[in-house]
Amino acid sequence: MARLRLAVLISGRGTNLQSLIDACAETGYPAEIGLVISNDPDARGLERAARAGIPARTIDHRAFPDREAFERALDSALGEAGAGLVCLAGFMRLLTPWFVERWHNRMINIHPSLLPAFPGLDTHARALASGVRISGCTVHFVRTEMDSGPIVAQAAVPVLQGDDEARLAARVLEAEHRCLPLAVRLIGEGRVRVSGERCVIEGAGNRGAALFSPSPPGRA
Ligand code: GRF
């Protein structure tokens, strides 16, 4: 089967991009990265693409008169690259309904919380302030409302006593690096269908165990 062609959109350090680069290097992984786009010329993720020999472009939003013009440039770059799936991996620009509709069910985002809890920015600070004992990450298809849309995959991590933003972020990030390649794998294998704004995953299995936080006695 032909591999799913990814375009990865970034704005910064690109560790989630790196997780996809690494996954795509595995034999049998059903996707390949055709293009990396950054809206910021200084994004460190661009070096990761270069190191992996993946075509990368900067499309600097500041060079365009308005959001629409920027998005038209993005859209033509994605078209030229033959993208089948757009992955927003730390891409820090809001997208207009026009762009979101154009890539309907062909664009995913990774967000560092268990959506629908804590959409938007400052996720970890808000999770800590709320006192939740479990957080995590979500990969979802993109809809016009920020950080919403059918959920493809989630991973949960405990919030530990004494966590600060940095420690929680690092624990969630580790989960992100497994969750994003997993979601792309499922989509690449054609196992994800969107039905009534929820994802149906073929062969998702029925294994699972409760994650406790704090740990019950004897399981610390
Ligand atoms: C990640 O936490 C991702 O969930 C969020 O932005 C961050 C990007 O990190 N959307 P990186 O650039 O992939 O390292």
Side-chain angles (χ1 to χ4, degrees), residues 51-171:
R51 234 180 288 135
I54 295 167
R57 292 178 59 168
T58 298
I59 302 183
D60 189 338
H61 60 280
R62 291 165 300 193
F64 296 87
D66 52 35
R67 223 174 254 282
E68 281 72 18
F70 167 62
E71 290 183 355
R72 273 198 298 276
L74 271 187
D75 188 64
S76 32
L78 295 171
E80 280 162 30
L85 183 72
V86 177
C87 303
L88 306 181
F91 184 67
M92 299 306 284
R93 301 297 300 167
L94 288 177
L95 296 165
T96 66
W98 173 77
F99 189 87
V100 171
E101 284 313 316
R102 227 174 135 69
W103 291 90
H104 187 81
N105 290 351
R106 296 187 297 151
M107 176 157 63
I108 57 174
N109 177 47
I110 178 139
H111 181 76
S113 77
L114 290 175
L115 291 173
F118 312 120
L121 297 174
D122 295 325
T123 322
H124 304 299
R126 286 187 292 136
L128 288 169
S130 76
V132 292
R133 293 199 173 270
I134 291 178
S135 191
C137 64
T138 304
V139 178
H140 63 94
F141 284 109
V142 175
R143 295 294 184 262
T144 48
E145 194 187 324
M146 189 183 40
D147 298 326
S148 77
I151 292 172
V152 184
Q154 290 184 307
V157 303
V159 178
L160 300 180
Q161 210 66 42
D163 266 357
D164 56 15
E165 245 180 280
R167 287 176 58 172
L168 179 58
R171 193 173 309 115

Side-chain angles (χ1 to χ4, degrees), residues 12-17 89-90 110-112 173 176:
R13 66 191 164 172
T15 65
N16 279 290
L17 163 65
I110 178 139
H111 181 76
L173 193 62
E176 292 184 45

